[in-house]
Amino acid sequence: MADSSFDIVSKVERQEVDNALNQAAKELSQRYDFKGTGATIAWSGEKILMEANSEERVKAVLDVFETKLVKRGISLKALDAGEPQLSGKEYKIFASIEEGISQENAKKVAKIIRDEGPKGVKAQVQGEELRVSSKSRDDLQAIQALLKGKDLDFAIQFVNYR
């Protein structure tokens, strides 16, 4: 029988991020505590730009956006938000959405699979994803459970399970 396999990826649905951003913008325009603070959130190229007239308000904008992301099922590990920066009279936070598993992180995951996973499970790095294969489907499910239990500093999903 052929090996069973699945891929470990780190992808974010761009449309879901866009929906979360639009919901956050709508909430900012309607909430009383954001009136007169110049609080905005919008795309700025590939990054997300949050602005407000005080450091606390811009952090609150980020909090609203993070809440909307969680409600849409997007891991906050995929969000890379910088520190508030003063620009003129406005405070700004630039955030980006991280996608793909770096070579370094892929090697970390492969090492976890080798060291702690069942014997006979192979992990190969393929670009920005990791292919995990084994003769036993039970071993593959054990690997998924193992990785879900680990607190990795990046978001992962399991796809192409066959």
Side-chain angles (χ1 to χ4, degrees):
M1 190 177 127
D3 284 2
S4 299
S5 69
F6 67 88
D7 295 334
I8 301 172
V9 297
S10 182
K11 288 195 168 84
V12 176
E13 192 71 41
R14 173 86 176 191
Q15 186 61 50
E16 290 296 324
V17 175
D18 207 35
N19 291 343
L21 187 132
N22 291 335
Q23 285 179 337
K26 186 174 182 182
E27 184 171 321
L28 294 179
S29 70
Q30 293 175 342
R31 269 182 43 182
Y32 179 75
D33 57 335
F34 285 111
K35 293 273 189 256
T37 62
T40 61
I41 182 169
W43 285 104
S44 173
E46 283 297 304
K47 291 187 181 274
I48 298 161
L49 172 64
M50 292 162 262
E51 294 179 310
N53 64 2
S54 73
E55 192 171 347
E56 295 81 39
R57 286 292 99 199
V58 80
K59 285 182 178 176
V61 172
L62 176 62
D63 187 50
V64 168
F65 182 54
E66 286 176 344
T67 304
K68 299 299 179 191
L69 286 175
V70 168
K71 282 185 180 173
R72 293 214 152 263
I74 297 171
S75 172
L76 292 181
K77 292 177 181 178
L79 180 71
D80 182 25
E83 289 299 311
Q85 300 166 338
L86 183 60
S87 172
K89 292 182 179 176
E90 296 276 307
Y91 280 87
K92 297 181 178 187
I93 293 179
F94 284 99
S96 60
I97 302 296
E98 301 292 320
E99 286 194 295
I101 300 175
S102 68
Q103 291 294 102
E104 179 183 315
N105 287 337
K107 287 178 183 170
K108 277 186 206 170
V109 172
K111 183 170 174 21
I112 290 170
I113 291 170
R114 256 194 330 275
D115 294 349
E116 301 176 33
K119 299 290 176 239
V121 176
K122 297 186 284 295
Q124 304 144 329
V125 178
Q126 296 180 332
E128 292 190 336
E129 56 187 48
L130 198 67
R131 166 81 37 97
V132 180
S133 57
S134 170
K135 293 207 181 309
S136 164
R137 287 183 167 231
D138 291 342
D139 287 351
L140 292 180
Q141 289 176 337
I143 293 293
Q144 287 182 355
L146 170 73
L147 293 175
K148 283 178 185 170
K150 291 286 179 194
D151 187 27
L152 301 169
D153 53 352
F154 54 98
I156 58 172
Q157 294 88 31
F158 306 110
V159 296
N160 292 340
Y161 189 78
R162 6 186 149 144

